[in-house]
Amino acid sequence: MKVGVLTGGGDCPGLNAVIRAVVRKGVQEYGYGFVGFKDGWRGPVEGDTVPLGIDAVRGILPRGGTILGSSRTNPFQRENGVRRIKENLTKYEVDALVAIGGEDTLGVAARLYEEYGIPCVGVPKTIDNDLSATDYTFGFDTAVGIATEAIDRLHTTAESHMRVLVVEVMGRHAGWIALHSGLAGGANVILIPEQRFDVDQVCAWVTSRFKASYAPIVVVAEGAVPKDGELVLKDATTDSFGHVRLSGVGEWLAKEIEARTGKEARTTVLGHVQRGGTPSAFDRWLATRFGLHAIDAVRDGAFGTMVALKGTDIVRVPIAEATARLKTVDPALYREVGVFFG
């Protein structure tokens, strides 16, 4: 058997660990051959491949990013995209695909399997941790660690100048990074996409902290929306999956806080730094286990499924089920951390 591997969507720490595990077990235990498709779904559409064997995956466990490259290519938006994928799978004698990605990448895999019979196994990857079928996705733990370290560092700057520091983190529809890093970093306000926020309340919390001679830190997810406002966009362009580019709510909020409280406010946008660098030990562990179980699913012919973490077990779930809805922050969990606001 020959297996194709691709990584789609935004890069994140742990992708290389999955690739390594899939190839190592596939070659050593099952005698499979492998081919890497470059830049997500662009690779199968355009027939852009790289050799993928034991030598190619040596030393990549601690590396961030992906040795295969990534993109947000949507083959259903490409002319004859599906036909070209089928032709290239035949050309390279690929019997199955392991698709590593988030809701968009896996959504494509589910559709290719269900509608066109292309054998795919999915591996969940997103720093946002918003896939409902798995307890955790790799990349999330590293992103939270990076954001927490940034918040820790910003506390001293905020206190030195007695100013408000607004930290914008990633999180389009789900506020898991903001919630975890904000709580771990001792933020005084945490704003998430699931709960529209009241700017006046935010300003009241900020003022309360200054009264205690303390400079506040506000953590806001990029997808957070004010009660009486709209989603703040970087621009109006969309990618091939129809997503607009977010970023800007932190700067907008800092200006509102400064105007309403008279206190100096500055913004730090962590952006892609959350995606980069060496994966944490947990993300290496989880990504490796996902890879080992993904190649087992290929061996078993369990196509149309995705590997997922449930408790400490790796299980298989239908890809379509995994991408049907997002895992968002429960209002009760958000209320739980509210004791630290203000």
Side-chain angles (χ1 to χ4, degrees), residues 14 17-18 20-22 61 138 282-293:
V18 180
R20 170 179 175 269
V22 167
L61 179 63
F138 66 87
F282 178 81
D283 280 341
R284 298 185 205 189
W285 174 86
L286 180 58
T288 297
R289 291 193 70 201
F290 276 164
L292 296 175
H293 284 262

Side-chain angles (χ1 to χ4, degrees), residues 34-174:
F34 289 87
V35 60
F37 285 104
K38 292 287 290 180
D39 304 332
W41 288 111
R42 186 191 68 79
V45 171
E46 299 181 5
D48 191 358
T49 67
V50 293
L52 199 56
I54 295 292
D55 288 345
V57 300
R58 284 199 175 100
I60 67 172
L61 179 63
R63 285 175 56 182
T66 164
I67 61 170
L68 296 178
S70 192
S71 74
R72 298 190 184 278
T73 301
N74 183 351
F76 297 106
Q77 297 295 320
R78 294 289 192 95
E79 185 176 358
N80 298 317
V82 175
R83 177 179 62 78
R84 292 161 68 186
I85 288 176
K86 287 184 173 181
E87 290 174 350
N88 285 318
L89 293 182
T90 300
K91 175 181 177 181
Y92 292 102
E93 301 178 324
V94 173
D95 302 295
L97 277 174
V98 174
I100 311 166
E103 59 170 324
D104 295 326
T105 302
L106 296 180
V108 169
R111 188 173 169 188
L112 288 176
Y113 173 72
E114 293 176 349
E115 297 182 17
Y116 302 96
I118 295 176
C120 296
V121 168
V123 177
K125 173 256 11 160
T126 167
I127 66 169
D128 289 341
N129 197 41
D130 59 1
L131 287 176
S132 61
T134 184
D135 290 349
Y136 284 97
T137 54
F138 66 87
F140 171 68
D141 184 70
T142 304
V144 168
I146 291 168
T148 301
E149 182 180 357
I151 295 167
D152 286 344
R153 291 175 180 273
L154 289 169
H155 272 294
T156 56
T157 293
E159 291 164 8
S160 295
H161 296 274
M162 286 306 288
R163 61 165 62 122
V164 185
L165 285 184
V166 178
V167 185
E168 182 183 306
V169 300
M170 285 186 170
R172 178 179 293 272
H173 302 296

